[in-house]
Amino acid sequence: MKRLLSIVCCMLMAASSFGQQALGQRPRVKSPVVNSDGSVTFNFYDPSAQQVSVTGDFDEIRSRTLPMTKQDNGVWTVTTSPLAPELYSYSLTVDGQRFIDPANSYVNRDISTLSNIFIVTKSNDDKGHLYQPNNVAHGTLSRVWYDSPTLGQQRRMTVYLPAAYDGKRSFPVLYLLHGHGGDETAWGDLGRTSQIMDNLIAEGKATPMIVVMPNGNPTCNAAPGWWHEGMYTPDGNAFNQRGAKATMEESFMDIVNYVDAHYKTIRKREGRAVTGLSMGGGHTFGISRLYPDVFDYYGLQSAAARMQAGNAQFDEQMARLFASKPRLYWIAIGKDDFLLQMNNDLRKYLDAHHYTYEYYENDGGHIWRNWRIYLTMFAQKIFKTK
């Protein structure tokens, strides 16, 4: 307890006023510092700490832990090797306890884990530039409540409206689905959806579109802390024991109908796309079979695409889907993803039935770094005139 109180006090000191600094009570700490060569320096003040390290996704496959060195002024520091342009997450470990960096106010929540973030960018053509807010026309990101008659709930989703949206012209809609443990905030916060879309649209690389990010958990109305169950600890399985009146796939048209009724949309198949990561990729897989004439573009990202090969209903659904000739059926996954074999099995099924699809495989695993890439790619493929 004394150790924890000491660290908390150090963190409070990190936010102390300039007047205290002027009195020489502590050095001023800035962290992280992105250097001109792309390396990043982390600094943390705690003169009483015995061991401090920083752990971050500095590699494509796994996290790396870098030990920090204590300076004479009580500041612990370490500098990485030059990093590729990207958005990175990290945390500190102080004498065996994990903390966010008190000098960095930029924090993301992934299920129940808080991590600091920073961006490395070197040019206007790299991923870091794409993921940061730039001096371009900005769309609007809103949290929207809607009624789901199928689930018997009022539910929340996030809606991105492009800068050109004026309530007069109709726009196509991309439905963007999160993974297990996520919610309607995941793609906006962790996926950088508004930044990616603003920049792609401004550069003429993507068609201006509405992006709808619903909550894919049918037993939860909204993200933790934003509905009547209050501030429970998110763990990815909240309230699953209750069961639901219907699945996410079965209730999905409630979302489409609400969006079409409340926004200026292209209410035709060619104006709708759906994509999702992991569990959301599985939802996309199911949605494609249930509503083959509603969407023209499908994107399975690291998808939990559980097949029922040999099942007559499944085979009939797949046959109906591809007979409808969707403009795009796209599969993307990292070669180190634990769901790779499941996706390979799906591809074998598609090949055996001569169904047309596109496939993209890259490095890395089941990580947000890949899903941001997949969103960037998919957004540039859809709603293009032939």
Side-chain angles (χ1 to χ4, degrees):
M1 178 62 73
K2 291 182 178 179
R3 170 77 260 160
L4 180 60
L5 290 174
S6 175
I7 293 172
V8 171
C9 288
C10 289
M11 289 183 170
L12 292 174
M13 290 173 67
S16 61
S17 68
F18 177 79
Q20 288 177 312
Q21 295 169 18
L23 293 175
Q25 293 184 5
R26 58 173 301 278
R28 183 171 183 173
V29 175
K30 183 178 181 181
S31 179
V33 178
V34 180
N35 304 309
S36 59
D37 64 350
S39 65
V40 179
T41 300
F42 301 93
N43 298 300
F44 174 71
Y45 178 71
D46 185 352
S48 64
Q50 300 300 306
Q51 190 175 43
V52 181
S53 61
V54 58
T55 300
D57 54 354
F58 310 136
D59 284 340
E60 290 191 354
I61 300 176
R62 60 185 63 84
S63 295
R64 285 182 57 197
T65 297
L66 305 175
M68 301 178 75
T69 301
K70 185 179 180 181
Q71 309 298 303
D72 291 341
N73 60 358
V75 174
W76 296 77
T77 187
V78 68
T79 298
T80 69
S81 58
L83 301 178
E86 183 57 84
L87 183 148
Y88 294 91
S89 301
Y90 74 96
S91 63
L92 302 175
T93 301
V94 182
D95 293 341
Q97 298 188 66
R98 185 184 187 276
F99 291 93
I100 58 173
D101 187 345
N104 183 356
S105 60
Y106 297 99
V107 178
N108 271 342
R109 176 182 65 85
D110 191 358
I111 308 180
S112 60
T113 301
L114 299 179
S115 299
N116 294 102
I117 61 171
F118 65 91
I119 292 175
V120 174
T121 182
K122 298 178 181 178
S123 76
N124 291 350
D125 298 319
D126 64 35
K127 287 184 288 185
H129 181 81
L130 182 65
Y131 300 157
Q132 70 180 10
N134 294 306
N135 188 19
V136 298
H138 297 293
T140 301
L141 203 65
S142 303
R143 311 295 192 201
V144 178
W145 288 90
Y146 71 99
D147 287 323
S148 174
T150 306
L151 292 173
Q153 300 172 353
Q154 188 181 43
R155 296 175 56 76
R156 200 174 80 143
M157 60 186 172
T158 299
V159 178
Y160 167 87
L161 298 178
Y165 185 87
D166 59 5
K168 299 177 182 178
R169 180 161 64 97
S170 296
F171 288 81
V173 183
L174 168 61
Y175 294 87
L176 184 58
L177 313 182
H178 63 78
H180 178 74
D183 51 58
E184 73 275 12
T185 68
W187 267 111
D189 294 344
L190 297 161
R192 308 293 284 184
T193 297
S194 61
Q195 291 85 358
I196 290 172
M197 296 309 304
D198 282 350
N199 291 324
L200 288 179
I201 293 170
E203 294 168 9
K205 295 178 179 178
T207 300
M209 67 187 79
I210 299 169
V211 183
V212 176
M213 294 159 271
N215 189 307
N217 307 300
T219 58
C220 298
N221 300 31
W226 287 99
W227 61 300
H228 59 262
E229 290 295 343
M231 296 183 180
Y232 57 90
T233 300
D235 65 358
N237 296 294
F239 311 107
N240 283 352
Q241 73 281 359
R242 292 181 179 175
K245 292 184 177 180
T247 66
M248 178 62 176
E249 294 94 325
E250 291 166 340
S251 66
F252 201 74
M253 289 306 298
D254 292 348
I255 300 170
V256 176
N257 292 336
Y258 179 91
V259 170
D260 281 348
H262 290 79
Y263 299 93
K264 291 288 290 184
T265 63
I266 297 174
R267 300 171 189 180
K268 300 178 181 179
R269 182 185 188 189
E270 58 265 31
R272 299 191 189 103
V274 58
T275 185
L277 68 91
S278 192
M279 179 184 76
H283 288 157
T284 301
F285 187 49
I287 288 165
S288 71
R289 303 196 311 275
L290 288 181
Y291 316 109
D293 299 319
V294 174
F295 306 90
D296 226 350
Y297 307 87
Y298 302 97
L300 279 62
Q301 308 178 26
S302 306
R306 294 176 175 84
M307 291 196 306
Q308 305 166 42
N311 177 286
Q313 183 182 34
F314 175 83
D315 291 340
E316 181 182 342
Q317 288 176 336
M318 293 295 286
R320 182 185 171 199
L321 167 63
F322 283 94
S324 72
K325 300 186 183 302
R327 297 192 184 190
L328 178 64
Y329 195 91
W330 189 69
I331 301 170
I333 194 167
K335 66 181 182 181
D336 301 298
D337 197 303
F338 74 93
L339 292 178
L340 180 61
Q341 186 57 54
M342 182 180 290
N343 282 253
N344 286 341
D345 290 342
L346 172 59
R347 291 172 57 214
K348 290 178 182 178
Y349 179 91
L350 298 175
D351 290 339
H353 289 79
H354 306 289
Y355 295 149
T356 301
Y357 66 95
E358 293 183 16
Y359 179 67
Y360 175 76
E361 183 178 306
N362 63 336
D363 293 330
H366 209 73
I367 52 177
W368 274 104
R369 182 179 300 184
N370 271 348
W371 302 324
R372 288 189 290 266
I373 292 172
Y374 302 157
L375 170 59
T376 301
M377 296 178 66
F378 190 72
Q380 295 179 77
K381 290 176 174 289
I382 58 179
F383 309 133
K384 302 289 187 179
T385 57
K386 294 185 177 181

